Amino acid sequence: MRKKIVAGNWKMHKTIKEGIDLAEDCIKLAEKEKIKEVEIIFCTPFIHLRKVSKLTADFQNINTGAQNCHWEMQGAYTGETSCSMIESCGASYVIVGHSERRQYFNETHEQLAKKVDAVLKQNLTPIFCCGEPLEIREANTHIELIGKQIRESLFHLDKETISKVVIAYEPVWAIGTGKTASTEQAQEMHAFIRKTLAHQYDFETAESISILYGGSCKPSNSKELFSQPDVDGGLIGGAALMAEDFIAIAGSF
Ligand code: PGA
């Protein structure tokens, strides 16, 4: 059985106090709603990780993650954060290759492959993001692009190692726009990603990997999206900043 995951990507939001309040509210609600079968992850800014990880430490199905990392474990890289530092804060996940990092920070397939390796080396789980911008979708070349993103940053991994990766499909035109992919569009892309994994590795390996959907996922559409056979949860931006919405999404399986 694949893991069901709802991960909140807080992006560059919340002061320390606001972040702690949000995490506490989410944990309380998740307890009240008795959500146990879904893994809930708070992907916070780096500076929140230590404190929020302390809050989640007692809950087996609630964890934390970072939103980025450097591929080296240490060194003269002013302003960067390594996976060993992230791990030492108590986090278990790292988002790698979010479209905002690809777009605004020019992250390349090659750099992302190195980041994936660094995350895995530290025994953390990468949440590897892929997704196409609007013009690619309109040109109907999105399948090719997603295939390339997956191939170039993940296919150097062996079968055993790729099984440890979580993939998030996030169409860029749906991120923060209020425009969600239809359930058919999401399922089509998730099935394509799984087929690509099965082709490179094998069926069992592809079946074991959780593939999350991201892009304007909210309580009003999460149930339908998560009901699709290849959608194993969500990577949630805007709606993860409100405890009620985020936990309603986690409760919609
Ligand atoms: P959104 O962001 O839910 O606000 O669209 C998703 C993401 O960027 O991970």
Side-chain angles (χ1 to χ4, degrees), residues 71-73 83 115-124 161:
W71 56 80
E72 294 291 347
M73 286 304 161
C83 290
K115 290 189 180 200
V116 166
D117 288 344
V119 174
L120 289 162
K121 198 169 162 202
Q122 201 60 45
N123 285 322
L124 301 168
T161 318

Side-chain angles (χ1 to χ4, degrees), residues 76-90:
Y77 299 101
T78 302
E80 290 292 320
T81 302
S82 73
C83 290
S84 54
M85 295 171 187
I86 292 167
E87 194 264 345
S88 73
C89 288

Side-chain angles (χ1 to χ4, degrees), residues 9 11 98 100 170 174-176 215-217 235-238:
N9 175 9
K11 307 194 180 183
H98 190 278
E100 286 150 18
E170 299 202 299
I175 296 179
S216 297
C217 187
L235 181 55
I236 319 297

Side-chain angles (χ1 to χ4, degrees), residues 1-251:
M1 269 288 275
R2 293 194 288 271
K3 230 191 225 181
K4 294 178 176 16
I5 298 173
V6 171
N9 175 9
W10 292 6
K11 307 194 180 183
M12 197 174 72
H13 292 287
K14 305 286 177 190
T15 62
I16 283 282
K17 180 175 180 318
E18 289 165 352
I20 290 171
D21 288 349
L22 173 60
E24 280 178 345
D25 289 349
C26 288
I27 292 168
K28 267 188 227 144
L29 277 173
E31 285 288 283
K32 193 171 146 222
E33 302 293 327
K34 300 191 171 40
I35 300 173
K36 298 269 181 258
E37 307 299 311
V38 179
E39 180 158 0
I40 294 172
I41 307 167
F42 304 120
C43 294
T44 76
F46 289 126
I47 58 156
H48 296 64
L49 268 187
R50 178 84 187 120
K51 290 214 151 142
V52 176
S53 297
K54 279 193 174 163
L55 297 176
T56 62
D58 293 339
F59 303 90
Q60 235 207 324
N61 69 319
I62 310 182
N63 288 302
T64 58
Q67 300 169 16
N68 179 33
C69 65
H70 196 273
W71 56 80
E72 294 291 347
M73 286 304 161
Q74 59 179 10
Y77 299 101
T78 302
E80 290 292 320
T81 302
S82 73
C83 290
S84 54
M85 295 171 187
I86 292 167
E87 194 264 345
S88 73
C89 288
S92 327
Y93 290 84
V94 183
I95 297 175
V96 176
H98 190 278
S99 62
E100 286 150 18
R101 303 247 13 128
R102 293 177 189 261
Q103 187 181 348
Y104 305 133
F105 302 95
N106 304 316
E107 293 192 350
T108 63
H109 301 303
E110 196 189 352
Q111 288 172 342
L112 297 177
K114 289 200 281 182
K115 290 189 180 200
V116 166
D117 288 344
V119 174
L120 289 162
K121 198 169 162 202
Q122 201 60 45
N123 285 322
L124 301 168
T125 301
I127 301 177
F128 177 79
C129 299
C130 57
E132 79 285 357
L134 185 60
E135 61 276 16
I136 298 284
R137 169 66 68 163
E138 284 175 347
N140 207 26
T141 52
H142 48 289
I143 295 267
E144 285 85 346
L145 179 68
I146 304 306
K148 187 176 166 72
Q149 288 174 337
I150 302 257
R151 258 193 332 270
E152 305 235 335
S153 300
L154 294 181
F155 277 5
H156 62 289
L157 301 173
D158 63 23
K159 197 167 86 171
E160 195 192 320
T161 318
I162 190 111
S163 308
K164 298 178 182 156
V165 175
V166 171
I167 295 176
Y169 169 63
E170 299 202 299
V172 180
W173 45 272
I175 296 179
T177 57
K179 210 176 155 195
T180 320
S182 67
T183 42
E184 293 75 22
Q185 286 172 323
Q187 170 56 25
E188 181 194 25
M189 294 311 292
H190 284 230
F192 164 72
I193 293 167
R194 205 174 302 286
K195 204 175 79 193
T196 305
L197 294 166
H199 188 256
Q200 175 72 11
Y201 298 94
D202 56 35
F203 178 77
E204 287 72 33
T205 305
E207 279 295 307
S208 72
I209 295 175
S210 296
I211 308 177
L212 315 182
Y213 169 79
S216 297
C217 187
K218 41 190 180 264
S220 58
N221 58 29
S222 53
K223 207 179 177 73
E224 209 186 323
L225 284 161
F226 297 173
S227 70
Q228 298 303 301
D230 287 297
V231 179
D232 306 306
L235 181 55
I236 319 297
L241 300 175
M242 285 159 292
E244 288 77 13
D245 284 358
F246 185 56
I247 298 305
I249 292 170

